[in-house]
Amino acid sequence: MKYFAALSPMKDEEKSKAYREQHLDFIKEKREEGSVLMFGRFTDGAGGLVIYKGESKEAVEALVSQDPYIVHGARYLQLHEWDMQTDYTIN
């Protein structure tokens, strides 16, 4: 399983407000399914971040493209594979 950081910078603040509940429902559903590891908004209002789990970047991109924020043009999408570390290794 791979991890992917989906950054969603603000594109349209009004659309973000309008689709917020649908977006949160989407994230809740994907978290319950096991596709979302963690999520949160940026406190400066610039957007948010979701850490997804998936087999490939293409699979996660297809999943994220269903998020109401992306579907309705409220947010941009930047998707990066993330190498999650759970401990420190000093070389």
Side-chain angles (χ1 to χ4, degrees):
M1 189 67 60
K2 297 178 181 181
Y3 296 92
F4 298 87
L7 291 102
S8 55
M10 188 68 67
K11 184 176 184 179
D12 185 314
E13 192 170 346
E14 290 304 313
K15 286 183 180 180
S16 287
K17 289 177 185 175
Y19 293 103
R20 180 172 170 74
E21 290 303 316
Q22 290 178 31
H23 163 74
L24 293 174
D25 289 345
F26 174 82
I27 295 298
K28 180 181 177 186
E29 176 185 313
K30 298 309 167 196
R31 185 166 174 121
E32 289 170 355
E33 292 174 358
S35 299
V36 170
L37 179 65
M38 61 183 70
F39 62 96
R41 65 180 185 86
F42 299 132
T43 59
D44 64 0
L49 169 72
V50 180
I51 303 297
Y52 286 92
K53 297 186 287 186
E55 295 298 322
S56 68
K57 185 174 182 178
E58 295 78 17
V60 171
E61 194 165 34
L63 178 66
V64 177
S65 70
Q66 299 171 39
D67 184 327
Y69 272 173
I70 304 305
V71 170
H72 297 287
R75 304 286 179 97
Y76 295 102
L77 173 61
Q78 298 173 359
L79 188 63
H80 305 275
E81 187 170 347
W82 184 50
D83 184 16
M84 182 174 70
Q85 301 297 307
T86 58
D87 59 15
Y88 295 98
T89 304
I90 300 173
N91 294 326

